[in-house]
Amino acid sequence: MKVVVCKDYDEMSQKAFEVMKEVVTSKPGVVLGLATGSSPVGLYKCMIKDHEENGTSYKDVVTYNLDEYVGIDRSNPQSYYTFMKENLFDHIDIDPNNTHVPYGSTKEDCEGYEKELEKVSIDLQLLGIGRNGHIGFNEPGTPFDEMTHIVDLTQSTIEANARFFDNDMNKVPKQAITMGIGTIMKSKKVLMVVSGPEKAEAVKATVEGPVTTDMPASVLQNHPDVTLVVDQAAASLLSK
């Protein structure tokens, strides 16, 4: 695992963009696994800026998102489908038919998304991390071989996401559909971006702790190609 420590969020976003661009321009039809949340927004802004100023094209790029809430429509402002359109897809030349965001609430919906993923090989999977170490919506205790599935969100995740729902936990969806840890680990390369002191304990456990389902992101120690880009606050507990 390669750890890149940056002074702040903006530098973290720029360094992550450099990793992303190298993959995007490496071959036609590259396949990206994408994430939502506050962590990758700066990276997406860098991608948009580069596209506008340098003409980097995404017309042949194919994307698969990690996860989506269960029980809210795609048109909902807080859906991850809407998030991706507003923060990336609407601002680059990607073909909407090449973008995929999971949707649904049943086992069949999960199996359908997993079958789509089996047809491709993700060249780069972008990840953030939850305070409890979740990746995607794979909460602590998720088996490492789990594929796309429906998950009940933990109270800490619901509380963390309440800021997007008028700070009203009653409005936060209680379930999500997510790529499983087994799905994520099949990607050729993983790029994780993390910022803020509230993530420092999770970062330390991911990099230096035991590999355990109690800390889902720790499984990345077993992946052959991981780049972790963090700001100083998130890296503050690392011993090296």
Side-chain angles (χ1 to χ4, degrees):
M1 186 183 297
K2 179 182 179 183
V3 180
V4 180
V5 180
C6 305
K7 68 175 186 288
D8 55 23
Y9 180 87
D10 288 342
E11 184 179 294
M12 177 201 76
S13 299
Q14 179 61 35
K15 290 292 185 184
F17 164 69
E18 292 169 9
V19 176
M20 174 69 76
K21 183 171 181 177
E22 184 177 351
V23 172
V24 167
T25 58
S26 65
K27 67 177 184 180
V30 70
V31 181
L32 303 177
L34 298 180
T36 53
S38 55
S39 297
V41 168
L43 163 60
Y44 292 154
K45 287 180 178 177
C46 290
M47 292 168 69
I48 293 165
K49 183 171 185 276
D50 173 63
H51 168 69
E52 292 174 345
E53 296 182 357
N54 302 313
T56 300
S57 178
Y58 294 83
K59 65 182 180 64
D60 297 322
V61 171
V62 179
T63 68
Y64 289 86
N65 262 70
L66 276 170
D67 45 28
E68 175 62 283
Y69 289 121
V70 167
I72 63 175
D73 191 79
R74 281 186 158 170
S75 62
N76 188 298
Q78 296 305 327
S79 76
Y80 288 163
Y81 179 85
T82 298
F83 176 99
M84 292 306 303
K85 284 176 60 65
E86 293 181 345
N87 287 280
L88 184 63
F89 296 156
D90 285 352
H91 308 284
I92 57 176
D93 63 339
I94 196 165
D95 182 346
N97 292 320
N98 286 346
T99 65
H100 306 83
V101 180
Y103 189 72
S105 60
T106 68
K107 181 180 179 183
E108 288 72 25
D109 294 325
C110 297
E111 291 173 346
Y113 198 63
E114 191 67 38
K115 284 179 181 176
E116 288 299 310
L117 287 163
E118 288 173 359
K119 298 175 184 177
V120 299
S121 180
I122 291 179
D123 294 290
L124 182 147
Q125 177 64 60
L126 178 64
L127 297 175
I129 189 173
R131 297 180 190 186
N132 62 2
H134 74 238
I135 49 177
F137 271 123
N138 294 285
E139 301 283 14
T142 303
F144 286 157
D145 60 355
E146 186 78 83
M147 298 303 179
T148 301
H149 62 289
I150 304 292
V151 60
D152 295 324
L153 303 186
T154 65
Q155 187 64 24
S156 67
T157 297
I158 292 169
E159 290 171 0
N161 289 349
R163 67 187 188 277
F164 302 118
F165 293 86
D166 304 320
N167 288 312
D168 184 348
M169 285 190 290
N170 293 320
K171 294 182 179 179
V172 183
K174 304 303 186 287
Q175 289 185 314
I177 180 172
T178 184
M179 284 188 198
I181 294 174
T183 315
I184 291 168
M185 291 293 283
K186 290 195 292 184
S187 59
K188 295 177 184 175
K189 182 179 183 67
V190 172
L191 171 62
M192 177 180 277
V193 289
V194 191
S195 68
E198 71 278 4
K199 302 288 182 72
E201 289 187 7
V203 168
K204 181 175 177 63
T206 296
V207 178
E208 300 176 358
V211 177
T212 169
T213 56
D214 292 337
M215 177 57 59
S218 66
V219 73
L220 296 176
Q221 293 179 37
N222 295 335
H223 192 283
D225 189 355
V226 177
T227 299
L228 172 59
V229 186
V230 293
D231 65 8
Q232 288 180 344
S236 60
L237 298 180
L238 293 175
S239 60
K240 53 190 177 186

